[in-house]
Amino acid sequence: MRKKLRETAHETATMRLRQAGLRPTRQRNELAKLLFRDGHRHLTAEMLHAEAVAEGVKVSLATVYNTLHQFTQAGLLLQVVVDPTRSYFDTNTADHQHFYCEDENSLTDIPGPEISVADLPTPPPGTEIKRVDVVVHVRRH
Amino acid sequence: MRKKLRETAHETATMRLRQAGLRPTRQRNELAKLLFRDGHRHLTAEMLHAEAVAEGVKVSLATVYNTLHQFTQAGLLLQVVVDPTRSYFDTNTADHQHFYCEDENSLTDIPGPEISVADLPTPPPGTEIKRVDVVVHVRRH
DNA sequence: ATTTGTGCAAATCGTTTGCATCTGA
DNA sequence: TCAGATGCAAACGATTTGCACAAAT
């Protein structure tokens, strides 16, 4: 017999946490469910906290920050730097690029194939390339 | 007869400010001289303030912040977002890309021709592309 | 004279941390 | 049991702002 969706989502989150080597605590589970429930998301700590509170999940903002960083370290999230005042976290950890609209503070994935960054430059001596970030800044017109 | 270098630098800075529509005040002049004296630079407000103080220029940190933003707005500088905790300003306002080394907090221009970002993606409906930022993150090895 | 810029210190804002308390294994 | 998590409030660091004073046109 089939399980309820809620339970399934819960188990999925739990599993994901275990695989990442994180203890599946109540708040980590709830946050994971919010983060990974549908498609890829781009959130700040404030946004996630607000969402959690709105859904009746009891978590402190501090824990949201800690959790986002733990998830990032565990490879479940990617931290995106586009706004000097805020940190965004992306549930899509694959290599991809972003549109960023300052007017509305919205960060979205660039759909379709990656922008081809042909001819990677030679990195400075003593260093190696770790990652290439491409942010296409857009503006409303 | 030739003028002293100091005077020339001062006049150049003054002219640059006037052209940008900014009143050439003492501190704006001094900061402009530091910023544009040799080649392109990548600085944070703190760095520039420290440098100014070290050279005996009397400026407050608040004024450095204000000035950097005014310069940016006037098109004399470019603000570069690579570090969630700090804002860098680049004296090279031409279209170009950066290496960023987190280990040493160093931001440098990518030399040579621009990385070709072929096939710019179609921006989200209602928006147009403003700028494409490419940051090549490197790590010491 | 009038407008604009500056310095200082206090305020702000996102984020981190210390510590006492709770919780999952 | 007990290492590891959490919540709260206080601490933090970069940046901004209010306001009295000073400088530029």
Side-chain angles (χ1 to χ4, degrees), chain A residues 14-135:
Chain A
T14 300
M15 214 166 61
R16 201 193 293 266
L17 291 175
R18 284 201 200 287
Q19 279 174 3
L22 294 168
R23 259 212 230 163
T25 66
R26 185 177 60 73
Q27 16 293 75
R28 294 217 268 236
N29 257 306
E30 300 289 2
L31 294 178
K33 282 196 273 182
L34 292 177
L35 283 168
F36 304 112
R37 63 178 163 188
D38 35 36
H40 289 308
R41 313 196 59 192
H42 302 84
L43 300 163
T44 64
E46 297 268 12
M47 287 161 120
L48 181 56
H49 182 244
E51 195 171 314
V53 169
E55 308 235 344
V57 177
K58 265 199 68 188
V59 211
S60 72
L61 182 55
T63 297
V64 172
Y65 273 106
N66 292 336
T67 303
L68 285 174
H69 288 137
Q70 290 152 1
F71 283 15
T72 300
Q73 219 170 335
L76 299 177
L77 294 176
L78 217 61
Q79 189 166 6
V80 185
V81 181
V82 279
D83 184 325
T85 68
R86 240 177 293 288
S87 267
Y88 281 86
F89 293 86
D90 187 346
T91 59
N92 181 0
T93 55
D95 232 317
H96 68 289
Q97 290 98 29
H98 297 103
F99 284 121
Y100 182 62
C101 185
E102 245 179 275
D103 304 326
E104 54 194 44
N105 268 9
S106 74
L107 185 67
T108 55
D109 284 353
I110 293 183
E114 263 183 65
I115 298 179
S116 50
V117 179
D119 309 314
L120 278 184
T122 314
T127 67
E128 59 180 342
I129 293 179
K130 190 168 74 179
R131 189 158 45 89
V132 179
D133 282 0
V134 179
V135 180

Side-chain angles (χ1 to χ4, degrees), chain B residues 56-78:
Chain B
V57 177
K58 266 199 66 188
V59 212
S60 72
L61 181 56
T63 296
V64 172
Y65 273 106
N66 292 335
T67 302
L68 286 174
H69 287 136
Q70 290 153 359
F71 283 15
T72 300
Q73 217 169 338
L76 300 176
L77 293 175
L78 217 63

Side-chain angles (χ1 to χ4, degrees), chain B residues 5-141:
Chain B
L5 281 178
R6 293 254 176 66
E7 289 174 20
T8 305
H10 191 83
E11 283 157 24
T12 304
T14 300
M15 214 165 63
R16 201 194 293 265
L17 291 175
R18 284 200 200 287
Q19 281 175 3
L22 293 168
R23 266 210 225 160
T25 66
R26 184 175 62 72
Q27 15 292 74
R28 294 218 267 236
N29 257 306
E30 300 289 2
L31 293 177
K33 283 197 274 182
L34 292 177
L35 283 167
F36 304 112
R37 63 177 164 188
D38 35 35
H40 290 308
R41 314 196 57 191
H42 303 83
L43 299 163
T44 64
E46 296 269 11
M47 286 162 120
L48 181 56
H49 183 244
E51 195 172 311
V53 169
E55 307 234 345
V57 177
K58 266 199 66 188
V59 212
S60 72
L61 181 56
T63 296
V64 172
Y65 273 106
N66 292 335
T67 302
L68 286 174
H69 287 136
Q70 290 153 359
F71 283 15
T72 300
Q73 217 169 338
L76 300 176
L77 293 175
L78 217 63
Q79 189 167 5
V80 185
V81 181
V82 280
D83 183 325
T85 68
R86 239 177 295 289
S87 268
Y88 281 86
F89 293 86
D90 187 346
T91 60
N92 181 0
T93 56
D95 233 318
H96 68 288
Q97 288 98 29
H98 297 103
F99 285 122
Y100 182 61
C101 185
E102 246 179 275
D103 304 326
E104 53 194 46
N105 268 8
S106 74
L107 184 67
T108 55
D109 284 353
I110 293 184
E114 263 183 64
I115 297 178
S116 52
V117 178
D119 308 315
L120 278 183
T122 313
T127 67
E128 59 180 342
I129 293 179
K130 190 167 71 176
R131 189 158 44 90
V132 180
D133 282 359
V134 178
V135 179
V136 177
H137 291 255
V138 300
R139 136 182 64 215
R140 259 202 288 258
H141 61 207

